[in-house]
Amino acid sequence: MNAIHRIEREITQPVDMCRPDGRLNPEAVGWSRKALHRANLRGWGRNKRFEYWCIVAPDFLITANVSHHDYRANVASTYIDRNSHAKLAHRQNVWLPPRDTMNDPLSRERVAGKAKGLTVVLEPNAEGTRILVEAERLQAELQAFEAPDRESMGVLVPWDNKRFQYTRKDNCIPVEGVVVVDGVEKRVSPETTLAIHDHGRGRWPYDTRWNWGAGSGTTDGHEIGLNFGAKWTDGTPSTENSLRLDGRVHKISEDLRWTYDRDNWTAPWRIKGERVDIVFTPRIYHHHKFDRMIISAQGDQCFGHFNGEVIADGGKVVPVRNIYGLVEEVHRKW
């Protein structure tokens, strides 16, 4: 397959995602280094809003997720021991949740999801974001440090003037705090613990499949953040591919080829393009499935290490060695 190159416009000023009639604002199509898109979504039934955090410590990882799909909200948190691969997963749906929540990301509003046996709170503060998880066997109180001038990759992906998605991907976010699992306290420090943040607002097609991969770490003393995607951006003028190098975002505006084995999720995955040549080696496999006939979600997610190289803006070849992160294939009808 020949690489498809795009010219993606960089957005540098705040912009509304929607026109007054609720349809896509063409001026919002593009990517940015800051959170500049105002999610002024209209209507009810097709809007999707979500916040996903994955915090990776030396011996475990924990996720925190709150999503709102107008007719359904989802609250989830998963703890995975990186050595034993033991998992503690919580995932609950709330049907017909309150409206007017998780609206404009520029307001840095508090996001809270509460369901039976599980509460997840994401609370912006002066230092970044406070992340709270409360469940019977799992509790967490964490602080993610996000400097005001921090760069992150935001992009609006349009399918048409009624369906579009804004996503902002950030990685290499230092975290400190405490996680308690079955009464055992585990403290984390920003020197050894990094988070990945996936923020989304938009309106999706009913039937959607996507790949996503992201990682954080260091190679040869350089901070490396990776973000790759596929399938859901096919046929659009946008991609979510980017490299974060020492705090600077380098946008990659080409489709990437993902090769992996659906019969063996823990076999190596390869992500390749003219600027990317990466092999992901899974260590942990995590699966979730939800099926209510017309509404369904299935996710196959792996955690492990990225190795290879990425070409930065200007042509510099950046080695990638043992950067820890995740890859996934997700299929949703929503």
Side-chain angles (χ1 to χ4, degrees), residues 93-133:
N93 288 303
V94 179
W95 297 97
L96 298 178
R99 299 179 66 173
D100 300 322
T101 59
M102 300 183 70
N103 288 325
D104 187 353
L106 296 187
S107 67
R108 287 184 57 77
E109 63 187 6
R110 179 179 184 268
V111 172
K114 187 171 184 180
K116 183 179 180 181
L118 176 63
T119 299
V120 174
V121 177
L122 308 171
E123 190 169 58
N125 56 28
E127 295 180 307
T129 302
R130 185 168 175 250
I131 303 167
L132 304 175
V133 176

Side-chain angles (χ1 to χ4, degrees), residues 1-8 236-239 251-257 273-276:
M1 182 181 73
N2 294 326
I4 297 176
H5 295 274
R6 299 163 170 83
I7 299 176
E8 294 185 86
T236 77
S238 307
T239 82
K251 189 70 176 66
I252 299 171
S253 297
E254 63 167 316
D255 285 335
L256 301 177
R257 300 185 297 278
E274 292 187 3
R275 292 179 57 182
V276 176

Side-chain angles (χ1 to χ4, degrees), residues 169-208:
K169 299 296 202 300
D170 202 356
N171 45 34
C172 301
I173 306 170
V175 177
E176 72 175 6
V178 62
V179 176
V180 180
V181 184
D182 289 331
V184 178
E185 184 178 285
K186 301 173 182 290
R187 292 198 168 271
V188 300
S189 70
E191 290 77 26
T192 59
T193 302
L194 298 174
I196 295 165
H197 180 204
D198 181 6
H199 160 101
R201 301 290 188 273
R203 296 195 195 102
W204 286 71
Y206 167 66
D207 192 328
T208 311

Side-chain angles (χ1 to χ4, degrees), residues 63-77:
T63 68
N65 177 51
V66 180
S67 62
H68 196 295
H69 308 151
D70 284 347
Y71 54 86
R72 175 174 68 97
N74 182 262
V75 188
S77 180

Side-chain angles (χ1 to χ4, degrees), residues 84-294:
S84 69
H85 301 182
K87 302 173 189 173
L88 186 57
H90 303 80
R91 182 178 294 271
Q92 295 288 338
N93 288 303
V94 179
W95 297 97
L96 298 178
R99 299 179 66 173
D100 300 322
T101 59
M102 300 183 70
N103 288 325
D104 187 353
L106 296 187
S107 67
R108 287 184 57 77
E109 63 187 6
R110 179 179 184 268
V111 172
K114 187 171 184 180
K116 183 179 180 181
L118 176 63
T119 299
V120 174
V121 177
L122 308 171
E123 190 169 58
N125 56 28
E127 295 180 307
T129 302
R130 185 168 175 250
I131 303 167
L132 304 175
V133 176
E134 182 67 36
E136 181 179 0
R137 298 175 56 195
L138 177 64
Q139 299 83 42
E141 184 172 353
L142 301 165
Q143 175 65 51
F145 296 98
E146 303 159 282
D149 60 348
R150 179 182 182 85
E151 289 194 6
S152 59
M153 193 286 299
V155 63
L156 191 140
V157 178
W159 293 285
D160 54 42
N161 66 2
K162 294 182 180 179
R163 301 175 302 169
F164 44 87
Q165 167 72 359
Y166 169 71
T167 184
R168 182 165 56 85
K169 299 296 202 300
D170 202 356
N171 45 34
C172 301
I173 306 170
V175 177
E176 72 175 6
V178 62
V179 176
V180 180
V181 184
D182 289 331
V184 178
E185 184 178 285
K186 301 173 182 290
R187 292 198 168 271
V188 300
S189 70
E191 290 77 26
T192 59
T193 302
L194 298 174
I196 295 165
H197 180 204
D198 181 6
H199 160 101
R201 301 290 188 273
R203 296 195 195 102
W204 286 71
Y206 167 66
D207 192 328
T208 311
R209 190 185 300 269
W210 71 78
N211 288 126
W212 178 44
S216 305
T218 58
T219 295
D220 299 337
H222 294 286
E223 178 193 80
I224 303 291
L226 305 172
N227 194 83
F228 306 126
K231 293 185 174 67
W232 73 287
T233 57
D234 290 352
T236 77
S238 307
T239 82
E240 63 170 332
N241 304 318
S242 67
L243 164 71
R244 180 187 183 88
L245 179 61
D246 295 328
R248 183 71 172 174
V249 170
H250 298 245
K251 189 70 176 66
I252 299 171
S253 297
E254 63 167 316
D255 285 335
L256 301 177
R257 300 185 297 278
W258 287 59
T259 306
Y260 53 96
D261 186 351
R262 288 193 180 94
D263 294 323
N264 183 8
W265 295 102
T266 58
W269 298 45
R270 190 170 189 187
I271 305 170
K272 186 171 175 56
E274 292 187 3
R275 292 179 57 182
V276 176
D277 192 354
I278 292 289
V279 173
F280 179 86
T281 304
R283 294 283 297 165
I284 299 169
Y285 170 61
H286 179 60
H287 172 80
H288 72 265
K289 186 173 182 178
F290 166 82
D291 192 350
R292 293 295 184 272
M293 300 298 287
I294 62 171

Side-chain angles (χ1 to χ4, degrees), residues 291-316:
D291 192 350
R292 293 295 184 272
M293 300 298 287
I294 62 171
I295 302 170
S296 65
Q298 177 168 313
D300 293 281
Q301 186 178 60
C302 296
F303 297 91
H305 291 93
F306 293 93
N307 285 276
E309 63 184 31
V310 180
I311 298 177
D313 296 343
K316 178 181 178 180

